[in-house]
Structures are given as C-alpha cells and as structure tokens.
Amino acid sequence: MKKILVTGGAGFIGSNFVRYLLKKEANIEIVNLDILAYAGSLENLKNLPDPERHYFIQGDICDAELVGRLMREYKIDTIVHFAAESHVDRSILGPVPFVHTNVMGTTTLLEAARQAWSQGQNGHFHHISTDEVFGTLSADDPAFNESTPYSPRSPYSASKVSSDHLVRAYFHTYDLPITITNCSNNYGAYQFPEKLIPLIILNAINGKALPIYGDGLQIRDWLHVEDHCEAIYLVLKDGEMGETYNVGGGNQPTNLVLVNEICSILDTLQPTAVPYSSLISHIRDRLGHDRRYAIDTSKIEKKLGWKPRYTIADGLEKTVQWYLDNMDWVEKILKKKNYQAWLDKNYQQ
Ligand code: NAD
Ligand code: TYD
C-alpha cells in the first residue's frame, strides 16, 4: 500500500480517513477523487497532517476516462471507495442519483482497477458499505453477521446492495483483489448536518424543533468515525481478499434515548433557561423506516483484533463539543450547499 486512491475523500468518513491515514502511515500518498457534491467540501480537508502527500482531484467516479488516467498516472495500488450518495431521506425523495453514483460509479471504478491491475501489478480494492443492506430487525432478532442475507428496503440500501454484489462479482469472475466492510451508523467530526446527530446538535443550539420520525423507538448501532477508520486500516493491512467484515459500535440506543443524551450533554456544555429536550418534536415517520439495526462484530474482532475504542457516551460528548467549537465550519458548509432548501423539502408536514 503506497499510492492510494480514496474516492469521496472530501465527505464525512472519507475526510476523516484521509486525516487518519496520513497520520498513521509516513510512506503513503493519497489521491483524493471527489466531485464535491453537497456533502463534500474542501473545508473538511483543511489542516491535514503532511498535506504534500495528498493530491485532491475534483471529478466524478462515473468518468471512466478520468478514473483510468488517475490509475495510470499515479500508479495506484489501492482503492478505498467511499464516494456515494449516502442519505436515506434523499434517496426516498429522488432515487435515480443513487443508482447512478452508487451502482455505475462503483462499476466504473471496478473496471478501471481491473484494467490497471491486469498487467501484473498487485492491487487492493476496498469497498465501504453499510449495515442497511441487511434490512431491518425486530426486537429479538440476532444481530447482522457477514452471512445474513441481503434484504434492502430503501433506494439507498438497494443501491449499496447492487454495488456490494458487483464488487464480489469482480472477485469471483476476474480475481480482482477486493475486501468489503459493512458498517453501522457513523458519527463524529465533519458529518454533514442532514444526518441525525449533527442535525439535532445544530437545531438544539439554534432553538429549533428536534424532529423525531414516528415514535422514535427505532434502534441504530452508533460507530464513532475514528473507530471506523481504524477498522478500514486493519482490513487494508491484514484483511483476506474476497472477505467481508462487519463493523459496529456495540450499542443499541433508541433514537429518543440518543437525542435525549445529546440534549443533556448540551444542558451541561451550553445551558439555557429550559432543557433542550423540551424542543423534541415527533413528526411524520420516514417511508419504509427500518426499525432496528444491530451488528455482530465478532469476525473483525477475532481475525484482525479490532474493537471500538469509543463508548457512545464519550463519543457523543466529543462530537457535541466539536460542533460547538467549529461553528465557523458549520456556517461555511451550510452557506454553500443550499441546506435550507433541503430542510424545507424534507421536513414540510
Ligand atoms: P458523505 O455523503 O458525507 O460523503 C460522500 C462523498 O462522496 C462526498 O464528498 C461527495 O462529494 C462524494 N461524491 C458523491 N458522488 C460522487 C461522484 N459521483 N464522484 C466522486 N465523488 C462523489 O457520505 P459518508 O457518510 O462519508 O459515507 C461514505 C461512505 O460510507 C458511503 O459509501 C456510505 O454509503 C458509507 N456508509 C456511511 C455510513 C454513515 O453513517 N455515514 C454508514 C455506513 C456506510
Ligand atoms: P440517519 O442519520 O438519517 O441515518 P440512517 O437513516 O442511515 O440510519 O437517521 C438515523 C435515525 O434517526 C433513523 O432511524 C432516522 C432517524 N431520524 C429522525 O428521527 N429524524 C431526523 O430528522 C433524521 C435525519 C433521522
């Protein structure tokens, strides 16, 4: 692993990973390909450690000519593929871009890797996927493991399923060296505030309603983004080709419990006359809302020695503090990306 193509490296998890890898490995170079769609921003890539080992290219993973040229010019030996349309609510309002980017974009990258590495150069294609491919669980179902059949229920998760299947097909058909991680809901610094945790933090400090879909008893497993980066790094170092690894934070709060926890952290860090939880507002449920996700991480723990370092309590406190300390980042991100139009569209009742 020397010349790494990171796709979507100006987004939330990708930018955290670029930062993590530059710090962790002194001898690698990163080519970061990102189209700078609404959730991607160069603001996420400021103050990188060793920035001279990072080359940013604004471009589309669906552009076969561009991707092929980057593979050749930079002699890429590793691809870490984050780029995607990533928000379930946006996929409900408009599924087509999800199919285009997540399915066609992944296939374009796989083709470029197959061509570049067919001449004898060793390679590694790592694909970032989600636990949402497994569908939904009821209260007593066992957690998802790597053999759980796929059962996607949103346009987003269906598009991620398609990309996972294509990645595996390239392994079986062309011997392309691939690995996949299916991880749970990430949270932490630099997350675009359309996702639950940053949305709640920002609405709360602005005195706005905290929107809870339906009864708020849906359950997610929350993974701190730095723990996720470490898991990806271990798979890149020691993962077995053709294998999939599930990654999760090992917790199971309901959305209501999580939002109340954020409120009580804010009550301590930035107290107001009334508790923040008084802003909680139940609104119309998400269409096809998955009830519960839970993830069995025993494979990556046993095979690669990974374990999450963050508890949800520590991770949430650090995240809330990060947003409070980085309001200039928030302002820049929201100004550029037409965020208000999204809120108006998604939250109109
Ligand atoms: P994000 O939306 O913050 O970032 C996605 C990035 O991809 C953005 O920078 C965007 O500009 C870029 N991008 C989009 N279309 C592109 C294109 N056509 N060409 C090049 N770049 C493009 O998403 P994220 O939360 O960082 O998610 C990264 C990956 O992790 C995705 O594949 C997602 O499915 C997966 N994932 C995310 C979570 C989570 O909780 N955030 C959980 C499980 C899996
Ligand atoms: P989200 O962060 O969108 O991630 P995902 O849909 O990939 O799990 O949502 C996390 C949970 O929070 C999910 O059950 C939907 C719920 N949610 C709300 O209740 N209100 C909101 O405004 C948002 C964005 C999400």
Side-chain angles (χ1 to χ4, degrees):
M1 170 168 74
K2 288 215 160 58
K3 296 275 180 87
I4 300 161
L5 176 64
V6 171
T7 72
F12 163 48
I13 308 174
S15 65
N16 274 281
F17 184 72
V18 165
R19 206 172 290 278
Y20 175 93
L21 197 58
L22 285 171
K23 205 163 150 197
K24 188 88 187 168
E25 287 278 337
N27 297 319
I28 53 105
E29 291 177 316
I30 296 176
V31 179
N32 183 348
L33 174 62
D34 195 301
I35 202 169
L36 297 181
Y38 74 92
S41 173
L42 296 180
E43 294 296 326
N44 299 348
L45 294 165
K46 287 197 165 152
N47 306 315
L48 291 178
D50 261 356
E52 64 283 359
R53 292 191 283 120
H54 171 253
Y55 313 102
F56 183 78
I57 314 283
Q58 183 171 5
D60 191 343
I61 56 167
C62 300
D63 181 345
E65 194 278 323
L66 170 65
V67 176
R69 185 158 54 75
L70 294 179
M71 293 296 293
R72 287 190 304 277
E73 276 179 13
Y74 289 93
K75 296 190 172 50
I76 297 295
D77 55 48
T78 306
I79 298 176
V80 188
H81 175 34
F82 295 94
E85 290 289 340
S86 69
H87 191 34
V88 172
D89 290 326
R90 288 188 193 251
S91 83
I92 294 168
L93 288 173
V96 175
F98 286 71
V99 177
H100 183 69
T101 298
N102 300 359
V103 184
M104 281 312 298
T106 302
T107 311
T108 305
L109 288 167
L110 286 164
E111 270 301 282
R114 181 165 82 91
Q115 274 160 29
W117 300 334
S118 62
Q119 324 293 335
Q121 187 196 355
N122 284 334
H124 184 170
F125 187 108
H126 181 69
H127 177 59
I128 311 297
S129 190
T130 167
D131 59 357
E132 303 193 25
V133 296
F134 299 117
T136 187
L137 297 170
S138 50
D140 301 329
D141 286 335
F144 304 130
N145 64 36
E146 288 78 0
S147 316
T148 304
Y150 279 15
S151 179
R153 291 158 35 99
S154 73
Y156 164 67
S157 54
S159 70
K160 293 297 286 188
V161 162
S162 310
S163 63
D164 290 16
H165 284 324
L166 282 157
V167 173
R168 287 197 188 93
Y170 271 67
F171 173 73
H172 293 294
T173 308
Y174 305 115
D175 268 341
L176 192 80
I178 67 98
T179 46
I180 300 179
T181 40
N182 291 88
C183 69
S184 58
N185 287 60
N186 282 224
Y187 69 103
Y190 300 104
Q191 185 166 32
F192 189 74
E194 63 187 351
K195 305 276 168 63
L196 182 68
I197 289 179
L199 180 98
I200 294 298
I201 298 170
L202 296 186
N203 276 21
I205 59 184
N206 289 310
K208 293 187 184 157
L210 309 181
I212 302 273
Y213 295 153
D215 61 11
L217 300 181
Q218 303 82 7
I219 288 174
R220 298 291 182 267
D221 174 299
W222 295 94
L223 171 66
H224 193 277
V225 67
E226 291 166 19
D227 282 330
H228 185 195
C229 290
E230 186 172 23
I232 297 167
Y233 176 72
L234 292 175
V235 173
L236 290 176
K237 294 286 272 187
D238 297 320
E240 194 178 326
M241 293 305 152
E243 289 295 307
T244 293
Y245 301 86
N246 280 359
V247 188
N251 52 68
Q252 291 269 289
T254 64
N255 291 341
L256 255 185
V257 165
L258 184 84
V259 169
N260 272 296
E261 180 61 27
I262 294 170
C263 289
S264 60
I265 293 169
L266 279 169
D267 286 336
T268 309
L269 294 179
Q270 196 166 293
T272 48
V274 285
Y276 287 96
S277 56
S278 63
L279 296 168
I280 287 176
S281 161
H282 288 262
I283 62 169
R284 190 186 57 191
D285 207 353
R286 173 187 278 176
L287 299 178
H289 199 167
D290 287 344
R291 196 68 178 163
R292 172 175 169 246
Y293 305 142
I295 194 139
D296 176 350
T297 55
S298 49
K299 178 173 172 182
I300 193 167
E301 289 181 23
K302 264 192 227 118
K303 300 274 183 192
L304 303 179
W306 177 87
K307 248 189 180 315
R309 294 176 193 271
Y310 280 91
T311 62
I312 181 81
D314 292 346
L316 270 186
E317 192 167 334
K318 188 172 171 189
T319 303
V320 172
Q321 188 66 63
W322 187 87
Y323 279 88
L324 293 179
D325 292 344
N326 286 277
M327 289 311 291
D328 52 336
W329 175 87
V330 170
E331 267 167 43
K332 284 183 193 139
I333 291 286
L334 298 190
K335 217 181 282 163
K336 258 176 58 190
K337 305 294 184 179
N338 212 4
Y339 179 62
Q340 191 55 47
W342 160 251
L343 294 182
D344 294 345
K345 199 168 164 193
N346 192 53
Y347 293 96
Q348 67 189 356
Q349 287 289 305

